[in-house]
Amino acid sequence: MASAFVVGEKFRNRVTQLLLKTESPLSGDLREELEEIIGRTGPTTTLSFITARKLHKHLQGAGYPFFLHELLEDSALHLPEYVQPPRNPELVARLEKIKAKVANEEYNRITRNVNAQEINRRGTLTDFGHQVRSVKTLVVTIFNFLVTVVAAFACSYMGSQYLFTETAARVISAVIAASVVGLAELYVLVRTMEGELGEP
């Protein structure tokens, strides 16, 4: 926060004239402060706000024809350089710990749907075992379907000899019975597969 002015040449000239005047002389401490400011050389000669207030009061009381803002026309505010205080090492350690925890939680959230076994392009023995089991189930289901249809045909053909004497009639009745049994097997198979696919 600013607490002083960096004085310019205009201020130096006017204050020098003010110090030389004998009528309505400056008070002792104000004169000493102003002489010290004028005596300094360098680009960063500063005038504190307290001294500026004292000078302003003196100019008002003595009725001088120029005002303080005229003296400070080519002056600028002196802004001290900001010095950052050192950080507390315990606070820094806690912040690093919290950052690591948040990063870990974010990583776990992003990768929760990733399966390491699925990343392997060649697959693992577990994947191979699942594939073998599904193929085995499919083969057994097809074999069971064929055996059921053939058994229904054979049973109907053999049993129809008591009803029909002609072979053509026996074959037609066996085909109809095998078709009905095959359609029933397909219906049950489709319902079972729909149930398995519907499971999460």
Side-chain angles (χ1 to χ4, degrees):
M1 186 175 165
S3 61
F5 295 103
V6 178
V7 296
E9 284 302 316
K10 194 169 196 179
F11 178 83
R12 287 176 182 276
N13 295 337
R14 291 282 179 94
V15 168
T16 304
Q17 292 173 12
L18 191 62
L19 290 171
L20 295 176
K21 287 190 176 181
T22 54
E23 64 271 3
S24 64
L26 296 165
S27 61
D29 56 344
L30 178 59
R31 176 177 284 278
E32 288 175 7
E33 290 173 15
L34 291 174
E35 285 175 351
E36 183 185 343
I37 291 168
I38 298 300
R40 286 189 219 144
T41 57
T44 57
T45 304
T46 58
L47 168 72
S48 69
F49 286 175
I50 297 169
T51 307
R53 282 191 198 99
K54 288 180 188 175
L55 182 59
H56 180 251
K57 281 183 185 177
H58 177 75
L59 292 174
Q60 276 185 336
Y64 281 101
F66 52 88
F67 298 97
L68 183 63
H69 71 275
E70 292 174 350
L71 289 174
L72 299 171
E73 270 181 347
D74 61 344
S75 302
L77 282 175
H78 178 265
L79 298 171
E81 194 173 320
Y82 174 71
V83 179
Q84 187 173 0
R87 297 185 76 183
N88 187 348
E90 291 177 9
L91 178 63
V92 172
R94 283 181 63 192
L95 286 175
E96 291 299 324
K97 194 174 180 181
I98 290 170
K99 282 181 187 175
K101 184 179 176 184
V102 168
N104 193 22
E105 288 174 356
E106 182 71 12
Y107 175 78
N108 288 338
R109 186 184 64 79
I110 291 171
T111 60
R112 72 171 173 244
N113 294 332
V114 177
N115 186 356
Q117 292 180 351
E118 290 177 5
I119 295 172
N120 189 355
R121 292 180 184 170
R122 296 178 186 166
T124 60
L125 290 175
T126 308
D127 294 337
F128 183 69
H130 286 303
Q131 292 172 0
V132 168
R133 276 194 292 272
S134 62
V135 169
K136 182 180 172 184
T137 305
L138 183 63
V139 169
V140 168
T141 304
I142 293 171
F143 181 72
N144 187 25
F145 175 76
L146 292 175
V147 167
T148 305
V149 171
V150 169
F153 179 83
C155 184
S156 299
Y157 182 76
M158 297 297 288
S160 64
Q161 68 182 346
Y162 299 108
L163 296 174
F164 306 109
T165 55
E166 295 178 5
T167 308
R170 289 174 64 193
V171 169
I172 290 173
S173 65
V175 167
I176 291 171
S179 298
V180 170
V181 170
L183 289 173
E185 278 286 323
L186 280 175
Y187 176 76
V188 171
L189 183 64
V190 168
R191 291 302 295 250
T192 306
M193 287 179 67
E194 281 181 357
E196 288 176 358
L197 292 174
E199 290 178 0

